[in-house]
Amino acid sequence: MEKSLLSIDWDYFIKIRPEWCGSYIENERCLVDIWYKRYIEENIRGINLEKEIYINTNTKRFWNFIKERFNLKKDIEVFISDSHKFSYKIAKDNKCDNIILFDAHSDLGYGGLSSLEFELNCANWLGKLFKDNIINKSTIIYSPYTMEQPNDFSELNSKYNIEYVMNRWDIEYEQFKNSEISAIHICRSGAWSPPWLDKKFYEFIRNSELKVRKLEDITRDWNPKKLTFSDEINYLIG
């Protein structure tokens, strides 16, 4: 039976502003500081980002949908991280043939085939799984909030077996009837998902009612009410 990794990016459920959809290094500045900067800038304009940026209500029925439509391995583990790059190792360790990806980004690599020559990162892990002959196909189920199109990856599409699903998620996936989900990876992608939604992220994980293994520390300090005027200046100019 074919083995699949179900890889879920938390940003799948979040509509963020187009100007925030850049390429970021996953460090403290991009995971925390940049969100304080955005929050303070918008607060000056009279906009409360904590009320403006929220999660899609599909999170409430997502796990029922997954369990109804996919064949989950008995005692399956859910791996948790901030970075999506861990999907590479999880797929390799579990000898997966296929990746089923729920995401706002393809993570195939953003420079054609040449981007697969870079070191493993959150933006190219899926492409590198193909390049290293670890998987032979993938289905990318795009978020309704994605800024991408399948033809953005024409060079990779011509070489690898990649299917895209646009603007729908709660459908029957007949092609996976004979596929076993061997592992599940949920990443937070903190550079693209705001810290005030972290509690919802943990709630989403708990709602899976599955065994969870954390791969890295994902705690973030978010408390804008504690900021001093000096803190705000530092974030704005930092």
Side-chain angles (χ1 to χ4, degrees), residues 19-235:
E19 61 267 28
W20 298 345
C21 296
S23 178
Y24 301 102
I25 298 172
E26 294 178 307
N27 57 20
E28 182 72 11
R29 181 179 181 278
C30 292
L31 295 180
V32 179
D33 296 3
I34 198 169
W35 289 108
Y36 273 121
K37 177 180 171 65
R38 290 166 178 166
Y39 179 88
I40 295 164
E41 287 175 339
E42 294 307 305
N43 195 48
I44 292 171
R45 299 185 182 99
I47 298 170
N48 185 342
L49 280 183
E50 290 183 330
K51 294 182 178 179
E52 182 177 296
I53 309 298
Y54 50 86
I55 62 165
N56 189 298
T57 55
N58 283 334
T59 56
K60 296 181 179 178
R61 56 194 181 102
F62 183 82
W63 290 111
N64 286 337
F65 157 76
I66 291 297
K67 292 174 182 179
E68 288 170 0
R69 288 168 170 78
F70 293 94
N71 175 27
L72 304 188
K73 184 181 75 172
K74 185 179 180 180
D75 298 325
I76 191 169
E77 277 191 303
V78 178
F79 297 91
I80 308 299
S81 69
D82 187 82
S83 177
H84 214 153
K85 68 181 180 181
F86 286 96
S87 274
Y88 180 98
K89 186 176 188 305
I90 296 167
K92 184 176 182 180
D93 290 349
N94 286 274
K95 297 179 170 55
C96 292
D97 311 292
N98 178 50
I99 304 293
I100 304 167
L101 174 62
F102 286 81
D103 205 332
H105 310 92
S106 77
D107 296 350
L108 287 165
Y110 292 86
L113 292 170
S114 62
S115 63
L116 306 187
E117 302 301 327
F118 303 149
E119 65 179 15
L120 177 69
N121 59 60
C122 62
N124 71 2
W125 64 266
L126 181 53
K128 287 183 80 71
L129 282 170
F130 277 113
K131 177 181 180 293
D132 296 342
N133 296 313
I134 295 171
I135 62 169
N136 52 51
K137 64 180 179 178
S138 178
T139 298
I140 299 169
I141 303 162
Y142 264 135
S143 164
Y145 310 127
T146 186
M147 306 289 175
E148 300 178 358
Q149 292 293 328
N151 59 15
D152 295 338
F153 307 94
S154 55
E155 188 176 11
L156 292 146
N157 296 336
S158 65
K159 184 175 178 64
Y160 301 121
N161 184 4
I162 306 167
E163 178 183 1
Y164 299 86
V165 177
M166 303 293 294
N167 302 321
R168 296 185 65 189
W169 67 281
D170 54 345
I171 60 176
E172 296 291 340
Y173 295 97
E174 294 294 332
Q175 68 270 42
F176 302 128
K177 293 294 185 183
N178 296 316
S179 177
E180 176 187 76
I181 304 296
S182 300
I184 298 173
H185 178 210
I186 308 172
C187 78
R188 184 181 59 188
S189 290
W192 295 268
S193 65
W196 56 87
L197 293 178
D198 283 358
K199 289 182 180 178
K200 293 290 185 181
F201 176 69
Y202 299 132
E203 180 182 325
F204 177 70
I205 294 167
R206 288 194 300 272
N207 287 344
S208 74
E209 298 181 336
L210 298 171
K211 184 168 57 176
V212 172
R213 185 195 300 184
K214 190 182 295 184
L215 299 177
E216 60 178 335
D217 181 18
I218 59 174
T219 57
R220 282 196 287 190
D221 179 27
W222 178 254
N223 187 0
K225 292 181 180 179
K226 74 171 185 180
L227 297 180
T228 66
F229 181 71
S230 177
D231 292 332
E232 292 184 359
I233 295 298
N234 287 333
Y235 282 123

